[in-house]
């Protein structure tokens, strides 16, 4: 049975990746790694998988996704069944159901109730008995799980299922339904925990059942008994549906999406990156209006893009971009180094909102002498660029009255800090300490840039075209030329053109060039195996 479920999961992913029904022959070839499958045999091979999984259905001679019943219904006309379970433990694989409680909600009114104890066929742990108040002796005469679950399914019918932390309750029910029918639960599921997190963000820090019951003032009080907890969840559902309607949510499908956990919301977008190649390149996240939300680079586009749809959270801005994501565009390049340069170009050109603001060169500043002190300016000069205007201002205050180079001021300032601390002038000492820290950061950044501006190198990496190489000529504090080197004599001519451009390069202090130098520095610190670094002097001699 597990093999059938695994095949169904792969088939669902295939249909999602193709964004539509897949011909049976194509599906069978992908699923069973066959080179040629006649149409009749393909349908026979797939029959048990498709008909045994509620997510799939036949669309003529193709396999498509089934539409869950009830998702197109308006919120106020749908039937909901709110369910809660008590169990002997936390895992469906090792624990068992010991009580089921449910409430039907029809016309946004609480209706019929369902409650039954369940014989778990194992001892009820003492902590569970104490928590729930269930008498272990009462479970001995209770219906077995097979009968109890069948009675619950009859009660639920085609209703929308609702649970608080649905992953727990539906996980137990799914396991038993699979054992009974070989199929999974087909009904749409609304999780009030995640719905509350979305609708009450900023208003309520805790969204456990007891906190929500207190917040909404429910008549039923949660007490770790299935029916009472289901009744409290049903009242909470009605309150949350009202809030969802205020946001413009009108159908069951919309509220299911609104209540989807982050992982499930992102899982629905995994198909956007299924076809990404295992090659270096850049990628762009676009919304439904084709606006670029985020730009990134990758050594392996497939691995990097798939990582966004795992459970780990991203920066808030990237999380927002993933929420609005409708299309992923990627551009294959020959190496991660070339992808890094392309990423910088796109950031300057597009200024996507989800990328870090520090990548914008127009925000860079420089330290400059002014009279007996120092100031912060946007005019390029030797003491910059620096990414943080606020930190640069602190560094300039630390240099007030200093007429030498910034680095030479640090020993004098540290001695002053020690004197202030010895004199118990702690507030002045704290202020100076922060300014010294900012100056240390600035001095370190300036020293790194100075080192990089002295480079006279050619960086060689593979080009996108097989057998070709991309050459980045670094001179005068900038990337002076980029050439594609062909094999043979043509490659020598291109190399000579790059050397000539490098010889003409003047000194650069601009932020765009500094970004490229810092990128080069990161690759020189940890060079990938495909990168070859040649000094321009050696290259000139070889030419």
């Amino acid at each position: 049975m597990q093999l059938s479920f695994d095949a169904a999961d792969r088939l669902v992913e295939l249909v999602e990746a193709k964004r539509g029904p897949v011909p049976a022959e194509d599906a069978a070839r992908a699923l069973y790694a066959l080179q040629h499958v006649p149409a009749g045999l393909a349908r026979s091979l797939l029959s048990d998988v498709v008909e045994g999984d509620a997510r799939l259905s036949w669309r003529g001679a193709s396999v498509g996704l089934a539409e869950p019943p009830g998702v197109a219904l308006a919120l106020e006309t749908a039937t909901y069944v709110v369910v809660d379970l008590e169990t002997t433990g936390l895992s469906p694989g090792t624990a068992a159901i010991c009580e089921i409680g449910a409430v039907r909600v029809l016309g946004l009114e609480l209706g019929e109730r369902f409650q039954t104890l369940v014989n778990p066929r194992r001892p009820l742990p003492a902590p569970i008995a104490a928590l729930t108040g269930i008498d272990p002796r009462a479970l001995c005469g209770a219906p077995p799980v097979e009968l109890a679950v069948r009675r619950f399914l009859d009660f639920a019918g085609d209703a929308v299922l609702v649970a608080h932390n649905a992953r727990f309750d539906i996980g137990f029910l799914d396991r038993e339904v699979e054992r009974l029918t070989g199929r999974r639960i087909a009904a749409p599921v609304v999780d009030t925990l995640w719905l509350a997190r979305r609708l009450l963000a900023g208003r309520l820090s805790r969204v456990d059942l007891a906190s929500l019951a207190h917040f909404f003032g429910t008549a039923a009080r949660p007490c770790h008994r299935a029916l009472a907890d289901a009744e409290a969840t049903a009242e909470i559902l009605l309150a949350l549906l009202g809030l969802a309607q205020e946001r413009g949510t009108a159908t069951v499908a919309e509220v299911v999406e609104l209540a989807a956990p982050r992982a499930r919301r992102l899982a629905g977008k995994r198909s956007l990156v299924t076809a990404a190649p295992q090659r270096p390149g850049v990628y762009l996240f676009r919304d439904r209006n084709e606006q670029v939300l985020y730009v990134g680079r990758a050594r392996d586009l497939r691995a990097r893009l798939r990582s966004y749809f795992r459970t780990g959270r991203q920066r808030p801005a990237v999380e927002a971009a993933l929420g609005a994501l409708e299309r992923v565009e990627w551009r294959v390049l020959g190496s991660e180094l070339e992808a890094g340069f392309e990423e910088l170009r796109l950031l300057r050109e597009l200024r996507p909102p989800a990328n870090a603001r520090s990548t914008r060169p127009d925000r860079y500043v420089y330290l400059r002498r002014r009279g007996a002190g120092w100031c912060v300016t946007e005019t390029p000069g030797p003491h910059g660029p620096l990414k943080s205007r606020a930190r640069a201002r602190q560094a300039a205050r630390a240099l007030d009255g200093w007429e030498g180079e910034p680095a030479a001021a640090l020993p004098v300032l540290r001695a002053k800090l020690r004197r202030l601390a010895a004199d118990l002038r702690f507030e002045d000492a704290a202020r100076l300490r922060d300014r010294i820290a900012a100056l240390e950061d600035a001095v370190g950044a300036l020293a790194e840039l100075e080192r990089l501006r002295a480079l006279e190198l050619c960086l060689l990496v593979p080009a996108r075209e097989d057998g070709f190489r991309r050459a980045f000529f670094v001179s005068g504090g900038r990337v002076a030329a980029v050439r594609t080197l062909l094999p043979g004599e043509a490659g020598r001519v291109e190399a000579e053109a790059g050397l000539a451009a490098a010889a003409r390069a003047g000194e650069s202090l601009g932020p765009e060039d500094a970004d490229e130098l810092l990128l080069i520095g990161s690759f020189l610190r940890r060079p990938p195996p495909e990168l070859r670094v040649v000094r321009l002097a050696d290259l000139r001699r070889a030419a």
Side-chain angles (χ1 to χ4, degrees):
M1 181 179 291
Q2 186 58 48
L3 288 176
S4 176
F5 292 143
D6 292 342
D9 289 341
R10 297 201 306 273
L11 196 50
V12 168
E13 289 184 1
L14 177 64
V15 175
E16 289 177 342
K18 298 295 184 182
R19 302 189 185 184
V22 178
E25 303 96 298
D26 295 345
R29 281 197 295 270
L31 209 60
Y32 300 110
L34 301 173
Q35 292 184 348
H36 176 70
V37 189
L41 178 59
R43 188 175 182 102
S44 176
L45 289 171
L46 296 172
S47 179
D48 287 345
V49 178
V50 175
E51 293 166 12
D53 196 289
R55 298 170 294 174
L56 297 165
S57 67
W58 288 108
R59 304 288 179 87
S62 299
V63 180
L65 296 179
E67 183 74 10
V71 294
L73 287 174
L75 292 182
E76 60 271 17
T77 60
T79 300
Y80 307 87
V81 166
V82 184
V83 62
D84 186 85
L85 306 180
E86 299 303 329
T87 63
T88 62
L90 300 178
S91 172
T94 58
I97 300 170
C98 60
E99 186 178 29
I100 304 174
V103 179
R104 192 188 312 279
V105 176
L106 182 61
L108 300 183
E109 296 285 344
L110 272 61
E112 189 178 358
R113 271 70 167 173
F114 173 91
Q115 188 275 335
T116 181
L117 292 174
V118 181
N119 187 345
R121 297 193 179 104
R122 66 193 70 189
L124 186 67
I128 301 295
L131 179 69
T132 61
I134 294 175
D135 185 348
R137 293 170 297 180
L139 298 179
C140 297
V145 67
E146 298 84 1
L147 180 57
V149 169
R150 286 191 187 278
R151 288 174 177 172
F152 168 73
L153 294 177
D154 290 340
F155 174 81
D158 293 332
V160 178
L161 292 182
V162 181
H164 195 74
N165 190 16
R167 181 180 179 182
F168 177 84
D169 299 276
I170 302 303
F172 274 91
L173 287 174
D174 244 341
R175 180 178 175 84
E176 298 304 330
V177 171
E178 286 174 1
R179 289 177 54 227
L180 290 172
T181 68
R183 296 171 65 91
R184 295 174 176 175
I185 292 174
V189 177
V190 175
D191 190 336
T192 51
L193 184 147
W194 282 91
L195 188 58
R197 283 180 175 170
R198 294 292 297 278
L199 295 175
L200 299 176
R203 298 174 59 188
L204 196 62
S205 58
R206 295 175 59 86
V207 290
D208 58 277
L209 196 59
S211 298
L212 289 172
H214 177 75
F215 181 80
F216 288 117
T218 61
R221 309 305 297 175
C223 60
H224 297 290
R225 290 303 298 264
L227 183 56
D229 288 2
E231 289 174 332
T233 304
E235 292 185 63
I236 290 166
L237 170 70
L238 295 178
L240 292 173
L241 290 180
L243 294 176
Q245 287 176 316
E246 291 175 7
R247 286 192 174 197
T249 303
T251 66
V252 170
E254 291 170 343
V255 83
V256 167
E257 176 65 20
L258 191 63
R262 173 188 180 273
R264 199 170 82 209
R265 292 198 305 273
L266 292 183
K269 298 183 179 183
R270 281 185 301 194
S271 60
L272 298 175
V273 301
T274 303
Q278 293 177 284
R279 297 283 303 278
V282 295
Y283 53 91
L284 299 85
F285 289 172
R286 295 182 181 271
D287 65 12
R288 62 182 179 181
N289 299 316
E290 284 297 298
Q291 178 188 354
V292 176
L293 304 171
Y294 182 78
V295 170
R297 76 169 191 262
R299 183 176 182 83
D300 181 329
L301 284 166
R302 180 184 298 177
R304 181 70 185 100
L305 287 170
R306 287 184 174 182
S307 72
Y308 285 104
F309 302 96
R310 295 172 187 153
T311 55
R313 285 196 168 271
Q314 311 289 335
R315 289 188 299 107
V318 179
E319 283 286 328
L322 289 170
L325 180 64
E326 290 292 332
R327 186 169 77 86
V328 179
E329 174 188 346
W330 53 80
R331 302 174 187 177
V332 174
L333 297 166
S335 68
E336 188 181 4
L337 176 64
E338 187 176 5
F341 286 118
E342 179 67 4
E343 178 190 33
L344 288 176
R345 185 189 69 79
L346 291 171
L347 290 174
R348 289 194 291 263
E349 181 180 305
L350 302 174
R351 295 188 179 180
N355 285 91
R357 298 178 69 186
S358 59
T359 59
R360 289 174 49 179
D362 60 312
R363 296 184 61 83
Y364 290 179
V365 294
Y366 299 76
L367 292 175
R368 182 170 63 86
R369 284 194 185 91
R370 185 172 64 184
W374 290 74
C375 66
V376 173
T377 177
E378 295 179 3
T379 304
H383 301 298
L386 301 171
K387 291 186 176 183
S388 171
R389 183 182 296 268
R391 297 287 283 173
R393 284 175 175 162
Q394 281 193 309
R397 292 190 185 102
L399 292 169
D400 189 38
W402 181 257
E403 296 183 2
E405 287 297 307
L410 286 170
V412 176
L413 292 170
R414 289 169 184 149
K416 182 179 179 181
L417 178 62
R418 288 193 294 270
R419 289 197 302 272
L420 290 173
D423 294 341
L424 305 183
R425 296 171 59 185
F426 298 123
E427 290 185 5
D428 293 337
R431 191 178 303 111
L432 181 59
R433 178 202 60 204
D434 294 342
R435 292 174 180 177
I436 290 174
L439 181 58
E440 288 172 338
D441 290 345
V443 166
L446 293 174
E448 174 69 1
L449 282 172
E450 189 65 24
R451 183 184 69 83
L452 294 172
R453 284 172 178 149
L455 294 178
E456 295 283 324
L457 299 174
C458 177
L459 307 181
L460 294 168
V461 289
R464 180 178 176 182
E465 302 82 4
D466 289 341
F468 290 56
R469 290 184 297 172
R470 291 284 276 174
F472 296 85
F473 295 84
V474 183
S475 180
R478 68 174 71 188
V479 178
V482 181
R483 292 287 186 272
T484 299
L485 304 185
L486 292 71
E489 181 64 20
R492 188 179 67 81
V493 172
E494 287 293 322
E496 290 176 351
L499 285 170
R504 296 192 300 268
E507 185 180 11
S508 171
L509 302 172
E512 294 89 347
D513 295 320
D515 275 337
E516 294 184 350
L517 284 177
L518 291 171
L519 175 69
I520 290 169
S522 70
F523 276 83
L524 292 178
R525 283 193 297 273
R526 300 182 65 181
E530 71 275 8
L531 173 64
R532 182 185 171 200
V533 182
V534 183
R535 293 190 304 170
L536 292 187
D538 295 339
L539 197 59
R540 290 189 182 101
R541 283 194 293 269

